[in-house]
Amino acid sequence: SILMGRLIDTKGAFVTMVLATVLIAGGYALAALAPTLLLFSLVQGVLIGFGSAASFIPLVADTSHWFAKRRALAMAICASGNYLGGALWPKLTEVLVRHSDCRPPYLVVAVICLVGMLPACLLLRPRSPVQHGGAAGVAPHSARALGLTPNGLQFWLGIAGIGCCVAMAMPQVHIVAYCVDLGYGTTRGAEMLSIMTICGIASRLASGWIAD
């Protein structure tokens, strides 16, 4: 996320997100064809991981540069995209896995990402006002936020991000397997994951409204 955030700052969201789309779609396609668990893990971690890193936090941050009013709500709407996907993907992949192993669903996801994300990247061609030297209301890089230097602030944001994501990853990653262990099956597990992410959309939008 840090590397992709720097790339958005220097090259803009369009170039970064085209790269992210290629990494994500290519990663899913290669993972479907991976002959070993090691290669599958490397493709999943490096290609899909780097691509996903660009398509969330850095993109949300870039979106914030376009808004002076109701900025938090705008960021919350943008950040709710992964939860909307989290509500839809489990059911789709569960249906696909029911009739095959994990390889066909990975190929389907690769095609959907490529066909769906590339046209959306075209909307990101204009550079944000900040990258054109404008953006009233955006603090200069030399400003000290919360009494911290920019590097100090980024360090503590990194610590907060790790703590937050570790806690959030536990139910998201393990809820389906946990439901299977309890005897409810994968279908109910996928539904639980969808319900959880739908509630996440509501909480993010409410949090953005409160923050504004």
Side-chain angles (χ1 to χ4, degrees), residues 25-99:
Y28 274 106
L30 289 176
L33 304 174
T36 65
L37 179 61
L38 176 60
L39 185 58
F40 174 85
S41 300
L42 288 174
V43 169
Q44 183 88 27
V46 177
L47 296 184
I48 299 176
F50 268 72
S52 300
S55 61
F56 186 46
I57 297 298
L59 185 58
V60 172
D62 186 76
T63 301
S64 72
H65 296 160
W66 292 89
F67 295 86
K69 294 182 178 180
R70 306 196 185 282
R71 179 178 294 165
L73 181 58
M75 294 177 68
I77 293 172
C78 187
S80 294
N82 72 325
Y83 272 171
L84 179 61
L88 299 177
W89 281 122
K91 292 301 298 178
L92 173 62
T93 54
E94 190 273 330
V95 171
L96 294 172
V97 171
R98 194 186 307 165
H99 302 289

Side-chain angles (χ1 to χ4, degrees), residues 6-17:
R6 291 186 180 277
L7 187 61
I8 281 185
D9 287 338
T10 56
K11 300 296 184 181
F14 173 70
V15 172
T16 307
M17 290 311 303

Side-chain angles (χ1 to χ4, degrees), residues 141 143-161:
H141 292 295
R144 294 175 66 89
L146 306 177
L148 298 170
T149 63
N151 287 336
L153 179 60
Q154 185 167 352
F155 171 79
W156 284 111
L157 283 172
I159 296 296

